[in-house]
Structure formats: C-alpha cells, structure tokens
Amino acid sequence: MTLTHIRRGSGRPLLLVHGLGAGWRSWAPILDGLAERREVIAVDLPGFGETPPLSGEVSIAALTDSVADFIRDQGLDGVSTVGQSMGGRIVLELARRGVGGDTVALDPGGFWSHRELVVFGATLRPSIALVRALRGMLPALLSSPVGRTLLLAQLSARPWALSKETVLPDVRGLADSPATGAAMDALTKGPTQQGAPAGTPPGRVTIGWGRRDLVTVPKQAARAIELFPDAVLHWFERCGHFPQWDVPREAARLILDSTE
C-alpha cells in the first residue's frame, strides 16, 4: 500500500504520523513552521485522509508496518519521525524495531493501566458517536467558543481559545475516517506498547506530554519512560491531548530541537 502524503519545505527530512482524526491535516497548525527549516513529509495512515483502509486486520502492528514500508519505499532510511497520540505510539514502535532515526512522540497511546483503558474507551467512543451524529452541524458548532468547549473539553486544555480552522479537520476526521472504529479497537483491545531497552533505539527519543491531557493521562508518562529508559520527557504546561492545538509554537520548537 502507498500512503497518501504531502512534502513541504527543504532540509533534513522529518516524517509526521498523525493520530485519530484528519490524517496529515492534523499537523496543519505547525506544518508551515516545521517546513521553514526541514523537508516535512506527512502521511495519511490507512483508512484516514485519502489513504484506503487496510485489506486485513487493523492493528497497531499493521499500521506500523505500513509506515515502515513507506520509509523503505521512499528511501527514507534513518528519517526522524514524529507522531501524536496513536501516531506517537506508532513512532515509538518504529524506534523499538530500530526503524528511523530520532523520535518524538507527543502524548502517545499504549501506556494505559487496565482501568485507564476502560475509561478511555468508555469516554472517547461516545464522543466519536456524538460528532458523527452532529456531522452536518460541526462547522457552526465549532465556530462558537461555547460549542468548542462542549465538544472538545476532553481533547484540549483551552478549547474556547482555539479557532474553528484548527480543530474542524480533526473533528471531521473522527466522524468520517473509515478506520476510526477499527483503530479504536486496536488501541483498546490490542496489546499495550512494548518498550525498547537502553541503547537500542536508532536515535534520540523524546516524549512530550500535556499536563492536562484527559485522553492519555499524565501519570502514563512514567510508564513510557520506564519502558523507554533512553527517552527525555518534556512537559507541556496548560496543554491537553493535542500539543499542535494548544501550544503550537512550543510543540514545533521541541520537534525541531529534538531531531536531526
């Protein structure tokens, strides 16, 4: 499978892997800033954006395979990788496999306790069902600070302060992407993330976490660092699950400073 992707900018390549939502457009708030210094390659995972769904089972392993194949087919061996949420888990899995170069994972999934995983599924699935039910009304609802607060309180620390243009692609992606349900099953019913012993990742590993993340809650950061002992942990203050929404300048700076 060929992943739909965009390339912008010039310089050392940087591969971006999104989470549940809009595909590569999830990175729109920081894409241009990154492209001022790097060649940015942002992919649509299978079943998101414009990439067709997988023909077989959807699992984190299979989604990671699709990105590993893309890296190989595009001649991007050693590329620095950046992912957020499910994409953060995927780039950490690539690092565990020894694929890529420097790795930046923003609020990655896969480090839940059993109780946290139950809460994650029980809260996010109804949210996805709600945005699907409100699909035609989303532009109007997200134009209002009150509407953004009601719909996005689980995802952003300050949803009222965001613009409709920032959040609408991801919210629509949750509603429209054919792989949303299967990817949720992979996250909630599949295995949790395995770690990488010290000295085994192919480059530096940086994990960024929002202090106010209600999806992958902050206490999970300690588990991530335990499993990836080489990783450097960066806390985003006043930030929820989407650093590219809540603290775009800080997120872009962390990515650029942590990758070569």
Side-chain angles (χ1 to χ4, degrees):
M1 172 180 290
T2 299
L3 301 183
T4 301
H5 62 283
I6 59 100
R7 289 178 180 252
R8 292 186 185 171
S10 60
R12 298 186 304 278
L14 187 65
L15 179 67
L16 307 184
V17 184
H18 63 85
L20 295 176
W24 70 260
R25 289 175 176 81
S26 182
W27 298 104
I30 62 174
L31 193 60
D32 289 341
L34 295 176
E36 289 178 0
R37 291 177 51 184
R38 306 290 290 276
E39 180 188 18
V40 178
I41 304 137
V43 299
D44 287 341
L45 291 169
F48 294 91
E50 298 179 14
T51 300
L54 294 169
S55 58
E57 178 188 7
V58 176
S59 65
I60 298 301
L63 294 171
T64 304
D65 289 343
S66 72
V67 179
D69 291 345
F70 177 84
I71 290 172
R72 182 198 64 220
D73 295 344
Q74 296 290 317
L76 293 171
D77 293 345
V79 68
S80 293
T81 60
V82 181
Q84 183 262 336
S85 191
M86 181 176 70
R89 180 168 180 186
I90 287 171
V91 299
L92 287 175
E93 175 62 16
L94 289 171
R96 189 189 72 82
R97 297 182 185 186
V99 177
D102 293 332
T103 301
V104 179
L106 307 178
D107 297 85
F111 300 101
W112 296 280
S113 68
H114 175 71
R115 179 183 177 85
E116 291 162 355
L117 190 57
V118 170
V119 172
F120 166 71
T123 56
L124 194 56
R125 287 184 191 278
S127 297
I128 293 171
L130 178 62
V131 297
R132 284 175 172 164
L134 297 174
R135 174 66 176 79
M137 301 169 60
L138 289 176
L141 288 171
L142 294 175
S143 295
S144 160
V146 173
R148 290 193 297 274
T149 300
L150 291 173
L151 285 177
L152 304 176
Q154 187 179 7
L155 301 178
S156 169
R158 298 188 303 142
W160 58 88
L162 303 174
S163 69
K164 178 187 75 173
E165 290 73 24
T166 292
V167 301
L168 183 58
D170 276 305
V171 178
R172 274 182 170 163
L174 283 175
D176 294 345
S177 297
T180 295
M184 275 292 295
D185 287 343
L187 288 167
T188 58
K189 299 178 182 178
T192 54
Q193 179 61 48
Q194 299 179 54
T200 62
R204 293 178 293 172
V205 177
T206 304
I207 298 177
W209 222 291
R211 289 278 192 191
R212 302 186 186 179
D213 190 340
L214 299 180
V215 178
T216 53
V217 294
K219 68 174 68 175
Q220 294 169 20
R223 299 181 198 129
I225 295 299
E226 183 177 356
L227 287 169
F228 288 83
D230 287 337
V232 173
L233 178 62
H234 176 89
W235 288 107
F236 296 110
E237 306 295 338
R238 300 188 70 191
C239 178
H241 191 59
F242 281 78
Q244 66 266 42
W245 288 4
D246 287 351
V247 286
R249 291 183 180 177
E250 185 180 357
R253 185 170 64 250
L254 178 69
I255 291 167
L256 292 170
D257 290 347
S258 304
T259 58
E260 293 183 346

